[in-house]
């Protein structure tokens, strides 16, 4: 048996998979159902569900809309009964409180519907069961925020996000989106601060609308659509790569000669087996009420993307978590592993998540829609100025909120925005901004005269927001797109930070507006001055050039923009009271919650890296070294045979010396990494994280490069790990 036989077996399996057929829902007549006929079939939303009297619905809607309004038990009872009936009719046996602890993924605790009325078994969820759960919080990362006697955590029903039914092979479960808080009311999850931030931004933006001529504005919702990138790799390859199994990325691997340089994958024809997967994925998402819209190949081989139609921020954040889970689950059915890691393969693009973000009022008007009337234009420009100012002030916390060991490989890597947070406005808006700053009227390139604040801005904007993929925060026509978010991350955290930052500037704008309008200034005049005030101040953050360039790094430094290069550095922001105080002042986070997050995130970084280093060393010892030794033995045998036969063996000698050189390096670099890891006190998370980022990371990367050299030297039949070209191109 050669070393590569296991690898060959993976290749055989991956290339001989039959396509999976799934059952498309059919009508009684046998006709295939349209998506619109089954969309949301697995969703229970009190707003639309049967069995809820109109009067109760109205009361519940008030609670969902108005923060601070409390749920009444009798109303919850109605929902609990209706949800039980609905779910059990569909075959559900359990309910679960579904929540988002700081681990980054989701958690669930199941309870059966089964209850007893006297001796009689029935299906029931009680009011308390629906409203509140008590998972043991001590097993979730808490960053030292709770002493052991306070191990109790509570999950609380989030009425704004619909319940949903998950189906597995042998049963169904009713999932209830919940917030997860400690006994003393600290948020132990991602959802709670997000909900707070949505409420705070609502209040501030609604007031802004009321002050600027929309006196009937009732509320403002944050809207969000998250584009999700992922890789699909055949299960057989993943199973043969300990690094993919343990860490979600390859810890070494020689880049195939052909990778993404032909640009032939992006938007190319979707491979048949992948399309089959996508069709089932979309089907599963539709049932869950997730409006999957776009699907296509991405830049790197075997990389794909899906994007939903945007939704209210909280629902959208929940749906993105669900989406990631459904992608993984459905991929497995097709014998794929869906890889959500930000950088599974070195040398080709990694995966991100574009967080499209905007706000809309209760009449559905988008606050970032330029609009076709002068005063709409002016309000739009002011909102744009407010968002830019917010990003300028709080770029460091935004950077912090998207940090993570996976994203570290991507940011600034000539494939993703750099670690410097700047704003891209596009040509038209930029010209307007420049005209405003110069005190001039704005003339667009096409010679149609448009005064600042005159009409046609909407049309111009739509045509002129050309793409700048290099910007981390870009205006794209009627929304901003935060592009530096990592593919595996929960969008709730960066969105909470963004909402808080924008709220702060809205609040200041409102105070300023009240004063100016009170002094007799017209709304139009005040809006123009407000825009100018913010644009002038935040000018350094606006950058329309190439974000990947070296010059930008220098220029950004000259402009005073922070450049937080890795996760430990970025997380350091959480220890700077003056930099994070706004998050508590805006009521989005409590001070202890930020401390908790710091501890949890820094620990997570240390643990993830430690696992990577250990896995890498294990693979060197168990896969790379044996392959090298085998090759060496082969070469030596050839030398001996040549000697005996009296023929030249200079080539063998040369190969031996090349092999030995690289082998030596691999061996010594691996030993060095081991020693370096031994000197790190892993319980001292902060110093360990810094050491990992600054010292061990470069060592591990150098070791990876040496392994890649060996991979290139060693004959194919002696290499046991699936190669990049196989994982990325064979299916
Ligand atoms: P792209 O060209 O980047 O694919 P799209 O217009 O298709 O741009 O939008 C990308 C994402 O942005 C989608 O998820 C879409 O639903 C979302 N999106 C569009 N408008 C808004 C908005 N007003 N607020 C939040 N997200 C939005
Ligand atoms: Mg986009």
């Amino acid at each position: 048996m050669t070393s590569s036989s296991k690898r060959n077996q993976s290749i055989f399996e991956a290339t001989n998979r039959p396509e999976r057929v799934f059952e498309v829902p059919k009508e009684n007549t046998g006709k295939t159902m349209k998506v619109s006929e089954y969309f949301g079939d697995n969703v229970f939303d009190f707003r639309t569900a049967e069995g809820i009297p109109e009067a109760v619905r109205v009361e519940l809607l008030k609670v969902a809309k108005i923060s601070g309004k409390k749920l009444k038990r009798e109303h919850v009872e109605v929902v609990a009964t209706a949800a039980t009936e609905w779910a059990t009719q569909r075959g559900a046996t359990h309910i679960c409180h579904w929540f988002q602890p700081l681990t980054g993924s989701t958690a669930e605790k199941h309870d059966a519907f089964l209850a007893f009325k006297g001796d009689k078994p029935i299906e029931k969820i009680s009011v308390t069961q629906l409203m509140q759960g008590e998972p043991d919080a001590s097993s979730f990362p808490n960053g030292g925020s709770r002493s052991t006697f306070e191990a109790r955590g509570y999950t609380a029903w989030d009425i704004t996000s619909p319940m949903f039914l998950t189906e597995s092979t042998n049963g169904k479960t009713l999932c209830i989106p919940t917030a997860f808080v400690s006994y003393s009311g600290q948020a132990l999850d991602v959802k709670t601060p997000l909900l707070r931030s949505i409420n705070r931004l609502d209040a501030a933006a609604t007031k802004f609308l009321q002050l600027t001529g929309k006196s009937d504005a009732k509320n403002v919702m944050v809207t969000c659509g998250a584009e999700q990138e992922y890789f699909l790799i055949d299960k057989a390859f993943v199973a043969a790569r300990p690094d993919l199994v343990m860490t979600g990325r390859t810890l070494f691997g020689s880049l195939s000669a052909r990778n993404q340089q032909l640009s032939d994958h992006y938007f190319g024809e979707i491979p048949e087996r992948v399309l089959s997967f996508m069709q089932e994925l979309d089907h599963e998402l539709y049932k869950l009420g997730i409006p999957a819209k776009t699907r296509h190949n991405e830049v790197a081989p075997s990389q794909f993307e899906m994007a939903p139609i945007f939704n209210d921020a909280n629902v959208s954040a929940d749906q993105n978590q669900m989406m990631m889970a459904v992608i993984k689950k459905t991929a497995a059915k097709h014998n794929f592993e869906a890889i959500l890691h930000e950088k599974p393969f070195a040398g080709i693009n990694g995966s991100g998540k574009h967080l499209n973000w905007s706000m809309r009022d209760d009449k559905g008007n988008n606050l970032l829609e330029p609009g076709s009337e002068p005063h709409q234009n002016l309000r739009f420009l002011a909102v744009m100025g407010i968002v830019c100012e917010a990003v300028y002030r709080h770029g460091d916390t935004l950077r912090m909120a998207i940090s993570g060991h996976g994203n570290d490989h991507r940011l600034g890597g000539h494939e993703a925005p750099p670690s410097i947070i700047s704003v891209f406005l596009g040509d038209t808006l930029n010209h307007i901004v420049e005209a405003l700053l110069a005190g001039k009227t704005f003339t667009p390139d096409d010679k149609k005269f448009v005064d600042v604040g005159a009409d046609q801005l909407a049309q111009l904007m739509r045509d002129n927001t050309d793409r700048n993929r290099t910007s981390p925060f870009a205006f794209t026509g009627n929304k901003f797109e935060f592009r530096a978010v990592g593919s595996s991350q929960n969008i709730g955290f960066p969105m909470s930070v963004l909402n808080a930052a924008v709220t702060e500037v809205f609040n200041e704008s409102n105070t300023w507006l009240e004063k100016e309008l009170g002094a007799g200034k017209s709304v139009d005049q005040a809006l123009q001055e407000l825009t100018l005030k913010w644009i002038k101040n935040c000018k350094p953050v606006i950058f329309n050039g190439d974000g990947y360039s070296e010059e930008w790094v220098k220029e950004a430094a000259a402009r005073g923009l922070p450049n937080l290069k890795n996760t430990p550095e970025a997380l350091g922001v959480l220890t700077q009271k003056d930099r994070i105080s706004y998050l508590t002042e805006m009521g989005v986070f409590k001070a202890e919650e930020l401390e908790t997050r710091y501890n949890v995130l820094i620990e997570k970084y240390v643990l993830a890296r430690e696992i990577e280093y250990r896995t890498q060393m294990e693979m060197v010892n168990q896969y790379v070294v044996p392959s090298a030794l085998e090759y060496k033995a082969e070469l030596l045998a050839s030398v001996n045979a040549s000697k005996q036969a009296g023929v030249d063996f200079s080539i063998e000698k040369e190969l031996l010396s090349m092999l030995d050189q690289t082998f030596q390096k691999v061996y010594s670099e691996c030993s060095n990494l081991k020693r370096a890891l031994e000197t790190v006190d892993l319980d001292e998370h902060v110093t360990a994280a810094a050491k990992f980022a600054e010292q061990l990371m470069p060592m591990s990367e150098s070791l990876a490069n040496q392994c890649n050299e060996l991979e290139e030297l060693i004959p194919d039949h002696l290499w046991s790990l699936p190669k990049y070209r196989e994982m990325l191109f064979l299916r």
Side-chain angles (χ1 to χ4, degrees):
M1 197 164 129
T2 63
S3 304
S4 63
S5 57
K6 196 168 148 206
R7 199 178 116 222
N8 288 336
Q9 178 63 26
S10 315
I11 296 175
F12 178 81
E13 281 176 35
T15 50
N16 284 285
R17 303 265 190 212
E19 257 159 60
R20 172 180 154 88
V21 179
F22 76 98
E23 263 191 56
V24 189
K26 296 223 164 63
E27 292 170 9
N28 292 339
T29 59
K31 191 171 152 268
T32 303
M33 277 166 103
K34 290 188 211 163
V35 171
S36 57
E37 289 169 327
Y38 69 86
F39 185 81
D41 263 3
N42 284 353
V43 174
F44 180 90
D45 189 345
F46 75 84
R47 297 171 185 89
T48 49
E50 279 172 26
I52 298 182
E54 199 48 35
V56 175
R57 211 188 299 278
V58 169
E59 286 304 311
L60 290 167
L61 273 173
K62 281 188 200 155
V63 179
K65 283 245 165 70
I66 306 164
S67 54
K69 210 166 152 50
K70 293 267 182 301
L71 279 170
K72 288 214 176 89
R73 284 188 81 86
E74 62 263 35
H75 297 153
V76 178
E77 178 119 48
V78 173
V79 177
T81 309
T84 304
E85 178 62 17
W86 177 85
T88 53
Q89 283 293 338
R90 283 164 176 75
T93 54
H94 286 68
I95 64 159
C96 95
H97 275 202
W98 182 81
F99 57 104
Q100 300 165 27
L102 300 175
T103 51
S105 50
T106 55
E108 43 192 73
K109 185 187 176 214
H110 295 221
D111 276 307
F113 278 108
L114 179 69
F116 286 90
K117 195 174 187 177
D119 297 341
K120 198 173 155 255
I122 55 165
E123 269 86 22
K124 182 182 163 72
I125 38 177
S126 67
V127 171
T128 324
Q129 255 182 319
L130 175 54
M131 285 178 71
Q132 186 176 310
E134 281 186 37
D136 178 9
S138 59
S139 319
F140 291 101
N142 55 51
S145 67
R146 281 184 323 274
S147 36
T148 34
F149 66 86
E150 218 203 274
R152 206 166 253 192
Y154 294 92
T155 49
W157 179 30
D158 169 17
I159 162 172
T160 60
S161 190
M163 302 176 199
F164 56 95
L165 211 56
T166 57
E167 299 168 297
S168 19
T169 315
N170 297 319
K172 296 181 186 175
T173 307
L174 177 66
C175 296
I176 300 168
T178 53
F180 182 43
V181 295
S182 77
Y183 180 70
S184 54
Q186 263 201 55
L188 297 173
D189 68 346
V190 179
K191 184 190 268 285
T192 307
L194 177 63
L195 287 172
R196 292 179 192 145
S197 77
I198 291 169
N199 287 337
R200 302 304 187 271
L201 183 53
D202 172 14
T206 306
K207 184 163 182 196
F208 172 83
L209 289 183
Q210 289 166 348
L211 283 170
T212 58
K214 286 200 162 189
S215 52
D216 60 341
K218 287 196 190 67
N219 68 309
V220 169
M221 299 294 300
V222 180
T223 54
C224 164
E227 302 164 59
Q228 177 73 47
E229 294 178 344
Y230 58 91
F231 279 83
L232 285 181
I233 304 298
D234 193 277
K235 253 185 186 173
F237 291 134
V238 174
R241 295 270 329 195
D243 44 5
L244 283 178
V245 173
M246 303 312 294
T247 72
R249 74 175 176 105
T250 56
L251 297 168
F252 53 84
S254 168
L255 188 62
S256 45
R258 176 180 151 206
N259 43 78
Q260 62 188 37
Q261 71 271 57
L262 296 175
S263 304
D264 52 353
H265 185 62
Y266 190 53
F267 281 116
E269 190 185 346
I270 300 172
E272 200 55 34
R273 200 177 135 203
V274 173
L275 187 58
S276 300
F277 152 77
M278 287 179 171
Q279 282 157 340
E280 184 166 3
L281 170 66
D282 283 347
H283 169 71
E284 291 297 328
L285 295 174
Y286 293 148
K287 282 194 287 183
L288 288 166
I290 300 177
K293 183 78 175 169
T294 312
R295 59 188 191 203
H296 61 80
N297 292 358
E298 255 302 325
V299 171
S302 281
Q303 190 189 27
F304 306 92
E305 178 180 305
M306 76 86 51
I309 298 172
F310 69 95
N311 215 325
D312 288 344
N314 177 41
V315 173
S316 191
D318 280 358
Q319 290 188 338
N320 185 253
Q321 291 297 118
M322 289 155 69
M323 205 188 301
M324 289 194 284
V326 179
I327 288 175
K328 283 210 154 273
K329 201 169 143 184
T330 312
K333 290 183 186 162
H334 289 255
N335 290 306
F336 280 126
E337 174 86 20
I339 299 184
L340 298 174
H341 192 284
E342 283 76 13
K343 193 72 179 179
F345 301 95
I348 56 171
N349 279 15
S351 302
K353 184 137 59 191
H354 290 181
L355 171 53
N356 294 271
W357 176 95
S358 190
M359 297 160 283
R360 69 172 170 206
D361 67 17
D362 48 291
K363 297 186 188 58
N365 301 307
N366 180 351
L367 270 62
L368 285 169
E369 178 66 52
S372 55
E373 307 215 359
H375 57 275
Q376 281 181 344
N377 286 181
L378 289 179
R379 195 183 296 113
F380 155 75
L381 286 173
V383 174
M384 185 265 309
I386 286 168
V387 177
C388 290
E389 170 69 14
V391 175
Y392 176 52
R393 275 191 207 179
H394 299 301
D396 56 350
T397 35
L398 283 167
R399 165 70 183 92
M400 175 278 295
I402 50 133
S403 62
H405 63 282
N407 226 7
D408 276 2
H409 296 277
R410 207 174 68 93
L411 298 180
H414 286 264
E415 55 164 290
S419 309
I420 307 156
I421 303 291
S422 64
V423 180
F424 169 82
L425 289 179
D427 283 347
T428 312
L429 257 190
N430 207 42
H431 285 155
I432 295 173
V433 163
E434 275 167 8
L436 275 173
L437 287 170
K440 290 192 196 130
T441 47
F442 162 69
T443 317
D445 300 339
D446 67 359
K447 305 282 185 277
K448 255 187 287 166
F449 180 77
V450 180
D451 203 343
V452 182
D455 53 10
Q456 291 160 318
L457 205 50
Q459 278 68 34
L460 275 172
M461 211 68 74
R462 200 155 292 127
D463 300 338
N464 284 315
T465 49
D466 49 336
R467 307 258 143 182
N468 181 339
R469 296 185 126 263
T470 72
S471 174
F473 201 90
F475 182 73
T476 48
N478 59 2
K479 62 187 188 285
F480 276 99
E481 197 169 322
F482 190 15
R483 300 200 180 115
V485 185
S487 48
S488 69
Q489 293 174 337
N490 187 324
I491 57 174
F493 186 36
M495 196 151 45
S496 305
V497 169
L498 176 61
N499 293 344
V502 176
T503 303
E504 183 188 55
V505 187
F506 260 124
N507 283 343
E508 285 175 28
S509 302
N510 291 342
T511 309
W512 186 88
L513 282 167
E514 276 174 322
K515 193 170 122 252
E516 298 298 316
L517 295 171
K521 210 163 264 172
S522 74
V523 168
D524 282 8
Q525 183 65 26
L527 281 172
Q528 289 208 35
E529 284 177 24
L530 182 70
T531 308
L532 192 60
K533 172 179 148 86
W534 294 138
I535 289 296
K536 254 190 191 156
N537 193 58
C538 74
K539 210 171 156 252
V541 85
I542 298 171
F543 176 64
N544 292 293
D546 179 4
Y548 295 174
S549 66
E550 268 309 305
E551 296 82 70
W552 171 232
V553 177
K554 289 191 200 112
E555 191 185 325
R559 291 186 186 193
L561 297 177
N563 183 0
L564 303 164
K565 289 188 202 69
N566 54 47
T567 297
E569 249 186 73
L571 289 176
V573 173
L574 282 169
T575 62
Q576 298 168 30
K577 290 229 159 53
D578 59 322
R579 298 306 308 146
I580 54 171
S581 56
Y582 83 98
L583 293 168
T584 37
E585 281 155 22
M586 292 306 113
V588 172
F589 290 94
K590 296 177 185 171
E592 319 85 76
E593 292 170 357
L594 290 170
E595 206 182 311
T596 301
R597 270 151 188 78
Y598 176 65
N599 294 337
V600 168
L601 293 173
I602 213 98
E603 180 179 16
K604 192 175 158 191
Y605 177 85
V606 172
L607 293 176
R609 287 294 188 222
E610 188 199 346
I611 292 171
E612 286 184 354
Y613 300 143
R614 292 199 192 284
T615 306
Q616 189 181 31
M617 294 185 298
E618 232 172 70
M619 286 174 72
V620 167
N621 292 332
Q622 296 173 10
Y623 293 79
V624 179
V625 167
S627 287
L629 286 175
E630 260 187 286
Y631 184 32
K632 189 166 177 175
E634 270 192 12
L635 286 172
L636 286 172
S638 178
V639 169
N640 284 337
S642 302
K643 263 187 192 160
Q644 270 178 12
V647 296
D648 176 70
F649 49 87
S650 55
I651 296 181
E652 285 93 328
K653 264 181 76 185
E654 200 179 317
L655 287 171
L656 259 175
S657 107
M658 285 199 306
L659 175 69
D660 260 342
Q661 268 181 26
T662 318
F663 194 16
Q664 293 271 357
K665 280 194 204 143
V666 166
Y667 197 77
S668 64
E669 291 198 15
C670 191
S671 313
N672 290 345
L673 182 61
K674 184 163 185 275
R675 266 195 300 278
L677 188 59
E678 276 162 6
T679 65
V680 178
D681 182 350
L682 294 166
D683 293 327
E684 287 296 323
H685 296 148
V686 179
T687 43
K691 262 203 169 150
F692 277 5
E694 282 148 34
Q695 292 168 23
L696 275 77
M697 235 16 249
M699 293 175 80
S700 162
E701 272 160 12
S702 170
L703 173 59
N705 289 334
Q706 297 306 333
C707 289
N708 296 348
E709 269 190 42
L710 265 189
E711 182 181 330
E712 283 159 32
L713 281 175
I714 290 176
D716 196 65
H717 72 278
L718 296 179
W719 193 256
S720 50
L721 294 162
K723 298 186 169 184
Y724 268 31
R725 65 164 185 263
E726 293 150 1
M727 292 187 279
L728 293 168
F729 289 95
L730 298 185
R731 67 178 77 88

